[in-house]
Amino acid sequence: MKRSINIVVAVSFFVIFLGCIEKNGYYGESGNAIITNLTEKEWNRQYHSVLSDGTEIDIYASYVFKKNGQGIYKEKAIYVDGKQEDRISYFHWTFTTPNFKYIYWDLDCFWEIVELTSSQLCIYETWDDPLEYPNQHYKNYQEYTCNMTN
């Protein structure tokens, strides 16, 4: 009985370990280029917004996509009266198509990549899957520039 438990534990450990190994070359040349351009960088965007109550706000947003599918969102909001708010969120992300054009993250958001270079990221943000709902009401174009992270 003890031997059976040890075998089950060893096999389970082996299966879990194989799932954690990074698969170099698995994505193909174009997929690897997209992952390299997207990940391990801080993507920044600054914009002005007006809240529903008329309050004006400047927002400084940044995203970091890690190669392991995790990410960090940071936001600094500066109100007209000088008040500042800092927010940070953590998320998981994944590509939803084999061509690496669509990203889903567990903040209930999709990004359709329009342009991606090592220094620029242009996307359409949607709340619903853009492949299932191509004509949805919310479709927001956004441009980001990057800073390298360590």
Side-chain angles (χ1 to χ4, degrees), residues 6-99:
N6 287 340
I7 290 172
V8 169
V9 169
V11 169
S12 298
F13 178 77
F14 183 71
V15 169
I16 290 170
F17 179 73
L18 282 178
C20 296
I21 296 173
E22 187 173 332
K23 300 170 182 81
N24 288 331
Y26 172 75
Y27 302 112
E29 189 174 317
S30 64
N32 285 331
I34 291 169
I35 291 168
T36 297
N37 282 338
L38 179 68
T39 61
E40 308 307 328
K41 299 175 181 178
E42 182 177 349
W43 293 99
N44 300 294
R45 174 177 179 239
Q46 175 185 346
Y47 61 99
H48 185 80
S49 185
V50 179
L51 303 178
S52 60
D53 66 359
T55 304
E56 294 191 35
I57 184 174
D58 288 319
I59 298 177
Y60 300 85
S62 70
Y63 293 89
V64 175
F65 293 89
K66 299 287 186 180
K67 285 185 178 180
N68 65 2
Q70 297 178 354
I72 304 167
Y73 170 71
K74 296 178 186 175
E75 178 182 279
K76 178 181 286 239
I78 303 175
Y79 294 83
V80 200
D81 64 5
K83 177 183 165 191
Q84 291 188 28
E85 291 180 358
D86 292 315
R87 296 179 195 93
I88 188 166
S89 299
Y90 300 92
F91 60 90
H92 294 92
W93 66 277
T94 188
F95 291 105
T96 63
T97 59
N99 67 357

Side-chain angles (χ1 to χ4, degrees), residues 59-143:
I59 298 177
Y60 300 85
S62 70
Y63 293 89
V64 175
F65 293 89
K66 299 287 186 180
K67 285 185 178 180
N68 65 2
Q70 297 178 354
I72 304 167
Y73 170 71
K74 296 178 186 175
E75 178 182 279
K76 178 181 286 239
I78 303 175
Y79 294 83
V80 200
D81 64 5
K83 177 183 165 191
Q84 291 188 28
E85 291 180 358
D86 292 315
R87 296 179 195 93
I88 188 166
S89 299
Y90 300 92
F91 60 90
H92 294 92
W93 66 277
T94 188
F95 291 105
T96 63
T97 59
N99 67 357
F100 303 92
K101 185 176 178 178
Y102 299 92
I103 298 173
Y104 168 76
W105 12 327
D106 60 1
L107 297 175
D108 292 326
C109 181
F110 290 85
W111 276 10
E112 176 184 351
I113 299 174
V114 177
E115 181 178 350
L116 175 62
T117 67
S118 61
S119 60
Q120 184 175 19
L121 171 62
C122 302
I123 60 101
Y124 280 106
E125 180 181 78
T126 61
W127 300 131
D128 296 313
D129 185 338
L131 297 174
E132 288 186 44
Y133 305 99
N135 298 319
Q136 57 190 288
H137 178 67
Y138 176 76
K139 189 171 184 177
N140 186 12
Y141 180 77
Q142 301 173 8
E143 293 183 3

